[in-house]
Amino acid sequence: MASKLSLAPITDLTIHKRPTFHTQFLQSSYVLRSSSTSSLHKKLLSSKLDSRRKSFVCSNSLKQETVQNPTAPLTSSNKLVLVTGGTGGVGQLVVASLLNRNVKLRLLLRDPEKAKTLFGEHEDDKLQVVKADTRNPKELEPSMFEGVTHVICCTGTTAFPSRRWDGDNTPERVDWEGVRNLVSTLPQSLSRLILVSSVGVTKSNELPWSIMNLFGVLKYKKMGEDFVRNSGLPYTIIRPGRLTDGPYTSYDLNTLLKATAGERRAVLIGQGDKLVGEVSRLVVAEACIQALDIDFTEGQIYEINSVPGDGPGNDTEKWKELFKAAQLQ
């Protein structure tokens, strides 16, 4: 169970140019399976009364958060963001934050029931869940991506054998084959693909990374990165350090929206796989969301850490400064 939560958005950020770094591996609501556009819509399930009650509580919290954060970006009604790994440590925070900003979402999940627990049920014009497994290319049908403008891929597993590997959930299957299968199915009209990877992927034969890579997690993440880079799709790759804060996998949306990064709100962003340190999952989630619409982050790879101090929160101008400063180093 995660340690204490104090939920509220991440506050102002301080820009630091000093590199620091470490590693970590990463890693609704209607249910769909479809082979055509029409079947996709036919399989949207109607909301249940119990989940509507949850959604009502969450929406009240969302309104309050929005008032407190007038600079929150991505409220565009013509945006449809598809999130994979949306019930994982980073993914659930991405989803909660986008719901808070009234961005239309489609989640691609193996188990849609998890989404109901975390996020409740919402109308189709707010949140949909598609049942599919990125490890199985036969489950990824083009109709699932119809209308999608942006994708955030947060899928991942543990670096070392654990219960999370049960059911063939290994780094090779998730970080390489799953990413490859997903990217191969995405439409070329996509505005941006955000991939969450890891620091150290270019140094898997060097200490301490060689230890973390004993079972291939860095190798397979790098293979996934390379496939994205060569796909022809507009992309941004986010490489977090060792992940802290969460995962909040036992909480509901109302609780997630109050999560904060504690004292580690200041953000360090670098390039060239030089950072060594750790980063709050909340900061990683916000970096993914901000990168969606910052033009100059296209085609870029960023490493990210967080340290004690005030941070950028969801202020897009401050994030632009952080991303730009990293490119100038």
Side-chain angles (χ1 to χ4, degrees):
M1 188 104 174
S3 51
K4 295 182 185 176
L5 287 180
S6 58
L7 283 168
I10 311 169
T11 55
D12 289 341
L13 304 181
T14 299
I15 299 174
H16 294 262
K17 294 187 178 178
R18 172 174 51 84
T20 321
F21 163 61
H22 189 178
T23 139
Q24 171 68 7
F25 319 101
L26 273 175
Q27 331 238 313
S28 258
S29 276
Y30 289 89
V31 182
L32 311 157
R33 263 307 279 277
S34 67
S35 58
S36 68
T37 299
S38 58
S39 61
L40 179 70
H41 295 294
K42 287 178 181 176
K43 294 188 179 182
L44 285 173
L45 303 181
S46 56
S47 300
K48 293 183 176 138
L49 182 60
D50 177 60
S51 296
R52 284 184 182 274
R53 185 171 61 250
K54 281 185 184 177
S55 181
F56 174 76
V57 173
C58 293
S59 64
N60 284 343
S61 174
L62 290 173
K63 290 176 183 176
Q64 182 179 8
E65 294 288 327
T66 302
V67 170
Q68 294 172 352
N69 297 280
T71 59
L74 293 179
T75 55
S76 169
S77 60
N78 61 1
K79 189 179 272 81
L80 174 56
V81 180
L82 180 124
V83 179
T84 62
T87 58
V90 170
Q92 63 188 264
L93 296 167
V94 167
V95 172
S97 188
L98 288 173
L99 283 172
N100 186 26
R101 302 172 197 204
N102 296 317
V103 176
K104 184 176 180 180
L105 289 173
R106 184 175 295 164
L107 308 187
L108 196 156
L109 298 173
R110 300 176 202 168
D111 182 7
E113 290 302 316
K114 289 184 178 180
K116 292 180 182 179
T117 301
L118 282 170
F119 312 121
E121 292 193 11
H122 300 266
E123 296 298 329
D124 180 33
D125 61 358
K126 187 175 180 70
L127 178 64
Q128 303 170 0
V129 177
V130 178
K131 179 176 172 56
D133 187 341
T134 57
R135 298 172 302 175
N136 184 358
K138 293 182 180 179
E139 294 189 23
L140 301 176
E141 301 165 355
S143 60
M144 294 177 176
F145 306 97
E146 181 193 358
V148 170
T149 58
H150 300 73
V151 172
I152 301 178
C153 178
C154 304
T155 53
T157 187
T158 56
F160 300 99
S162 68
R163 281 189 289 181
R164 288 187 60 191
W165 282 29
D166 292 350
D168 206 18
N169 202 48
T170 63
E172 181 177 11
R173 295 284 282 129
V174 175
D175 294 311
W176 163 230
E177 294 178 16
V179 171
R180 179 194 63 198
N181 296 338
L182 172 68
V183 173
S184 297
T185 315
L186 295 176
Q188 289 296 311
S189 60
L190 202 68
S191 295
R192 189 70 61 90
L193 164 63
I194 308 293
L195 174 69
V196 179
S197 181
S198 171
V199 294
V201 294
T202 68
K203 302 177 179 181
S204 59
N205 294 323
E206 305 174 17
L207 288 171
W209 313 118
S210 56
I211 297 174
M212 305 305 295
N213 194 49
L214 284 175
F215 293 89
V217 68
L218 294 178
K219 177 181 78 171
Y220 293 122
K221 283 185 178 293
K222 182 61 165 60
M223 290 171 66
E225 283 192 12
D226 291 343
F227 196 83
V228 167
R229 291 173 56 233
N230 295 321
S231 67
L233 294 169
Y235 71 87
T236 304
I237 296 172
I238 302 294
R239 294 172 174 169
R242 188 178 69 85
L243 294 168
T244 64
D245 293 323
Y248 306 114
T249 49
S250 61
Y251 297 95
D252 61 15
L253 176 57
N254 196 35
T255 304
L256 289 171
L257 286 172
K258 298 174 186 173
T260 67
E263 295 181 354
R264 305 180 66 86
R265 300 188 300 270
V267 174
L268 304 176
I269 297 181
Q271 291 190 305
D273 209 359
K274 299 174 184 177
L275 288 183
V276 180
E278 53 189 26
V279 60
S280 166
R281 285 178 169 86
L282 290 124
V283 169
V284 178
E286 187 64 31
C288 292
I289 293 170
Q290 293 291 337
L292 287 175
D293 288 326
I294 298 178
D295 291 342
F296 63 79
T297 64
E298 180 180 332
Q300 299 292 320
I301 301 175
Y302 300 98
E303 293 81 45
I304 185 166
N305 285 346
S306 59
V307 295
D310 290 333
N314 54 22
D315 188 321
T316 297
E317 292 307 312
K318 292 181 179 180
W319 278 99
K320 285 181 179 179
E321 292 177 27
L322 286 162
F323 285 123
K324 182 62 73 176
Q327 293 177 209
L328 295 175
Q329 289 178 3

